[in-house]
């Protein structure tokens, strides 16, 4: 997720560069804009069918039909990637994939190759990408789109100098009002029968395959009535006015055959190696999806009420007429129904005045509130953390249980020590547990950008079983691998208590961060409006 400070660095390095940047931005503003629209027939999701393996499995999971959906938690990254590969390889009618980021790395290329393979089997493949992270990927994506059964579309695309990040930054500033809105949704639907929803982007670091830093995340694999709800949302985006066919904005002089040959090389096993073998079972004792589908008569998932919801794609046009239409508003309303217990897990957490008022009201009603977010040193968006810091003392005074994820602490926890190896560990899951009955999950962070600027997708599930599984998997009743943040005796400052070992070290400054880093971030925070974070 980009933050405005990342965009400011190129223009903060001297008068000459600032002048060049301004001149280039003015020049770009006169360049070609988005091409004119031509009427296009809406494309709709292909419903689930008993003629496909996944369709039959979904019918088996949801028989007899009772309005409930079936679900399986995807807690471990290796199992989440394997589930996608299994669904793509078993799909026979359609793949509808929507994501904020598709990495130009071994994971992104592996998934692109599976999409290509599916298209060549006759599967209709629709890939919908936000255009923010596609610099340098046009030919790779055009290679997929050159397949007769595959189509790639871009949300709110860049037009000029598409292959160069510096050119995109300049276009961003010259068309800031439009390009500042991004599609943060993540959704994966196979054969209209099964779907994956949650927080993971399609890149190495979201599946523990990166060397420097990896994300701890969460998703659900679902079948049942919630799937056509999600498919309808995908269709709304796919056919919206802020989505463009890739070929309309990405030109190339290559022929289809040349694009396909280049794609073949870029997604070869040398460039896109498959993942290693899976553990026999996941943390909850479940077999890999392929093994489950092979034993269809014994396929048993959790059953619960589930609903999919999302922001309108028109949020990117700034035409959301009422705040009550946003996913963020519905999320806060759901939290407001809590009567006993709320656990919020969010990598980026800025409650704002409205959020603080809801916290205060909940505490007055006796609701136990726990917030888990990233520490400053382990946040990939440290400016967000600086703004979150402004609310820490007030939350603690209200009696909020506050925890911050730390690589140092995670490595002391047996659960993550082997998984992280030498890489940093960062929280990326977006989850809320309400009264140990409701689970809210999806792409939405609890910050102003998710609430006001980006579009988001989420799923609401009413399930005691799922809640208990998450409490067990993440050890939420006895949290390890984090710092517990508490008030000092003076009631004005905070301290950090380790939870990863018997020593339980106590720190009086931000863990694993230098004074210089904290000062730099504080200075930058004065120039970046909170509503851009």
């Amino acid at each position: 997720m980009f933050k405005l400070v990342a965009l400011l660095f190129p223009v903060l390095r001297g008068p000459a560069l600032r002048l060049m940047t301004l001149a280039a931005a003015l020049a770009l503003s006169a360049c070609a804009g988005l091409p004119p629209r031509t009427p296009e027939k809406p494309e709709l999701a292909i419903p689930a069918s008993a003629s496909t393996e996944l369709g039959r499995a979904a019918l088996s999971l949801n028989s007899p039909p009772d309005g409930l959906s079936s679900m399986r938690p995807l807690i471990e990254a290796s199992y989440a990637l394997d589930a996608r590969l299994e669904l793509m390889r078993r799909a026979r009618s359609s793949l509808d994939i929507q994501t904020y980021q598709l990495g130009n790395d071994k994971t992104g290329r592996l998934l692109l190759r599976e999409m290509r393979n599916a298209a060549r089997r006759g599967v209709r493949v629709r890939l919908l990408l936000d255009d923010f992270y596609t610099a340098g990927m046009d030919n790779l994506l055009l290679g997929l789109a050159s397949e007769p059964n595959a189509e790639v579309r871009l949300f709110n695309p860049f037009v000029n100098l598409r292959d160069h990040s510096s050119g995109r930054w300049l276009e961003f500033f010259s068309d800031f009002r439009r390009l500042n809105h991004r599609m943060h949704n993540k959704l994966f639907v196979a054969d209209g029968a099964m779907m994956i929803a949650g927080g993971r982007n399609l890149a190495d670091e979201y599946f523990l395959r990166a060397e420097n830093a990896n994300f701890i995340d969460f998703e659900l694999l679902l079948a049942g009535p919630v799937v056509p709800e999600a498919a309808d949302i995908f269709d709304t985006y796919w056919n919206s006015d802020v989505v463009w066919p890739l070929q309309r904005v990405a030109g190339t002089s290559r022929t289809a055959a040349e694009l396909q040959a280049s794609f073949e090389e870029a997604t070869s096993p040398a460039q896109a190696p498959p993942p290693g073998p899976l553990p026999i079972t996941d943390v909850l004792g479940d077999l890999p999806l392929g093994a489950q589908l092979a034993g269809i008569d014994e396929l048993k998932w959790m059953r619960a009420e589930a609903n999919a919801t999302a922001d309108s794609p028109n949020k990117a046009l700034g035409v959301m007429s009422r705040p009550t239409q946003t996913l963020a508003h519905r999320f806060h309303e759901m939290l407001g129904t809590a009567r006993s217990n709320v656990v919020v897990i969010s990598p980026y957490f800025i409650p704002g005045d409205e959020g603080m008022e809801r916290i205060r009201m909940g505490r007055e009603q006796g609701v136990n509130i726990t917030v888990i977010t990233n520490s400053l040193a382990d946040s990939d968006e440290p400016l967000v953390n600086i703004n979150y810091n402004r609310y820490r003392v007030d939350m603690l005074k209200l009696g909020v249980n506050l925890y911050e994820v730390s690589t140092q602490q995670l490595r002391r926890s047996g659960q993550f020590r082997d998984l992280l190896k030498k890489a940093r560990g960062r929280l990326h899951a977006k989850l809320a547990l309400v009264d140990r009955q409701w689970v809210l999950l999806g792409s939405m962070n609890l910050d102003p950008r998710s609430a006001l600027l980006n579009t988001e997708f989420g799923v609401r599930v009413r399930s005691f079983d799922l809640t208990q599984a998450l409490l067990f998997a993440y050890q939420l009743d006895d949290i390890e691998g984090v710092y517990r943040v508490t008030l000092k005796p003076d009631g004005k400052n905070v301290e950090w208590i380790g939870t990863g070992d018997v020593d339980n070290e106590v720190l009086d400054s931000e863990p694993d961060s230098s004074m210089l880093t904290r000062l730099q971030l504080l200075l930058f925070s004065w120039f970046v409006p909170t509503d851009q974070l």
Side-chain angles (χ1 to χ4, degrees):
M1 178 179 184
F2 77 93
K3 301 296 178 185
L4 189 59
V5 67
L7 314 184
L8 291 175
F9 283 121
V11 296
L12 291 175
R13 295 179 183 170
L17 185 53
R18 287 199 297 271
L19 182 60
M20 290 172 60
T21 301
L22 177 60
L26 291 173
L28 273 174
S29 67
C31 290
L34 286 168
R37 281 204 169 273
T38 57
E40 296 183 39
K41 183 179 178 181
E43 292 182 1
L44 301 179
I46 299 174
S49 168
S51 65
T52 69
E53 177 188 10
L54 297 181
R56 290 190 295 273
L59 285 173
S60 175
L61 283 164
N62 294 284
S63 181
D66 54 6
L68 302 181
S69 293
S70 298
M71 61 203 63
R72 172 183 173 172
L74 296 175
I75 294 168
E76 290 161 280
S78 59
Y79 268 69
L81 179 57
D82 177 74
R84 285 177 170 83
L85 296 174
E86 285 290 343
L87 292 177
M88 297 169 88
R89 291 165 182 169
R90 294 170 186 268
R92 290 298 177 268
S93 64
S94 64
L95 287 171
D96 292 336
I97 301 170
Q98 181 180 16
T99 189
Y100 175 57
Q101 181 184 2
L102 175 72
N104 192 4
D105 55 23
K106 56 181 179 287
T107 299
R109 292 182 177 214
L110 173 65
L111 294 173
L112 281 170
R113 188 178 185 88
E114 293 296 342
M115 293 180 216
R116 194 280 310 271
N117 292 347
R120 289 188 174 178
R121 292 197 310 269
V123 176
R124 187 187 72 177
V125 176
R126 297 190 293 177
L127 175 61
L128 176 54
L129 296 173
D130 184 85
D131 198 34
F132 193 79
Y133 283 108
T134 61
M137 294 183 66
D138 280 355
N139 283 330
L140 186 60
L141 296 173
L142 285 166
L144 173 64
S146 67
E147 299 291 337
N149 292 314
E151 185 174 0
V152 180
R153 294 188 180 182
L154 303 175
F155 184 95
N156 207 10
F158 291 78
V159 180
N160 304 291
L161 301 175
R162 289 186 47 80
D163 282 340
H164 304 282
S165 296
S166 57
R168 287 188 174 218
W169 290 130
L170 296 176
E171 184 176 357
F172 183 92
F173 283 114
S174 70
D175 198 3
F176 180 80
R177 186 172 182 179
R178 176 176 74 86
L179 293 172
N180 192 36
H181 293 274
R182 307 313 320 169
M183 181 191 75
H184 197 235
N185 308 37
K186 289 98 175 175
L187 178 61
F188 186 109
V189 183
D191 282 354
M194 293 187 179
M195 62 178 272
I196 297 174
R200 288 185 178 98
N201 289 299
L202 305 181
D204 284 348
E205 58 266 35
Y206 298 92
F207 298 96
L208 297 184
R209 304 184 82 201
E211 294 182 0
N212 296 323
N214 287 299
F215 289 110
I216 300 165
D217 220 319
F218 172 75
E219 294 170 304
L220 274 182
L221 175 60
L222 299 122
V226 69
V227 179
E229 288 181 7
D232 286 345
I233 292 171
F234 181 95
D235 287 344
T236 299
Y237 275 80
W238 185 257
N239 298 302
S240 73
D241 289 338
V242 288
V243 167
W244 298 77
L246 171 67
Q247 292 91 334
R248 297 291 305 280
V249 295
T252 182
S253 59
R254 298 186 183 185
T255 65
E258 289 172 336
L259 288 170
Q260 290 171 6
S262 175
F263 183 95
E264 180 72 23
E265 180 181 357
T267 63
S268 66
Q271 300 294 325
L278 291 174
I280 296 174
T281 63
D282 67 11
V283 67
L284 298 176
D286 289 323
L287 293 170
L289 177 60
Q292 286 192 328
L293 291 173
I296 190 69
D297 292 337
E298 300 177 2
L299 189 58
K300 301 293 182 184
W301 292 359
M302 299 176 188
R303 301 272 292 147
E305 173 188 341
N307 298 102
T309 187
D311 288 321
S312 165
N314 289 335
K315 187 179 180 183
L317 300 173
V319 295
M320 296 291 284
S321 58
R322 296 187 303 274
T324 54
Q325 294 178 324
T326 65
L327 182 62
H329 181 83
R330 293 191 287 268
F331 180 89
H332 286 296
E333 275 194 333
M334 186 67 207
L335 294 185
T337 67
R339 293 295 174 263
S340 61
N341 184 278
V342 170
V343 178
V344 173
I345 302 173
S346 179
Y348 319 116
F349 186 76
I350 303 177
D353 294 339
E354 181 182 356
M356 289 301 299
E357 178 61 18
R358 290 183 180 274
I359 290 173
R360 183 190 63 78
M361 292 172 61
R363 292 296 299 136
E364 286 179 351
Q365 296 169 10
V367 177
N368 185 284
I369 300 174
T370 297
V371 174
I372 304 171
T373 190
N374 278 315
S375 65
L376 174 61
D378 287 293
S379 175
D380 63 321
E381 305 290 355
L383 259 189
V384 176
N385 193 282
I386 289 292
N387 279 269
Y388 141 78
N389 291 354
R390 299 171 181 173
Y391 300 94
R392 253 188 327 214
V393 169
D394 288 339
M395 284 193 289
L396 292 171
K397 286 182 177 178
L398 289 171
V400 174
N401 304 306
L402 192 55
Y403 298 91
E404 295 179 5
V405 173
S406 155
T407 295
Q408 180 178 335
Q409 291 295 307
L410 286 171
R411 286 187 177 140
R412 294 174 179 172
S413 169
Q415 184 180 8
F416 293 102
R417 186 184 304 115
D418 295 334
L419 288 174
L420 291 177
K421 299 186 172 91
K422 295 182 180 180
R424 300 194 73 86
R426 293 166 171 165
L427 179 67
H428 195 259
K430 304 96 164 51
L431 267 173
L433 281 60
V434 179
D435 292 342
R436 304 204 172 198
Q437 293 186 56
W438 292 93
V439 177
L440 312 177
L441 69 140
S443 67
M444 190 186 75
N445 298 304
L446 294 181
D447 59 16
R449 174 161 286 278
S450 283
L452 303 173
L453 298 173
N454 292 347
T455 68
E456 306 287 355
F457 175 87
V459 174
R460 183 184 67 173
V461 179
R462 184 173 188 174
S463 172
F464 175 79
D465 290 342
L466 178 58
T467 304
Q468 291 302 114
L470 294 175
L471 291 170
F472 167 76
Y474 293 112
Q475 303 174 357
L476 295 178
D477 283 333
D478 186 18
I479 302 177
E480 292 185 358
V482 298
Y483 282 104
R484 181 182 178 92
V485 186
T486 63
L487 280 175
K488 287 184 175 181
D490 63 11
K492 298 179 181 179
N493 296 286
V494 303
E495 60 186 9
W496 290 259
I497 302 174
T499 62
D501 58 19
V502 295
D503 294 335
N504 291 338
E505 62 177 341
V506 178
L507 305 176
D508 58 6
S509 62
E510 298 276 359
D512 306 323
S513 66
S514 68
M515 177 63 75
L516 178 59
T517 297
R518 296 194 295 272
L519 180 58
Q520 289 174 331
L521 289 170
L522 180 60
L523 290 173
F524 276 121
S525 71
W526 294 346
F527 298 97
V528 182
T530 300
D531 62 4
Q532 297 296 319
L533 297 172

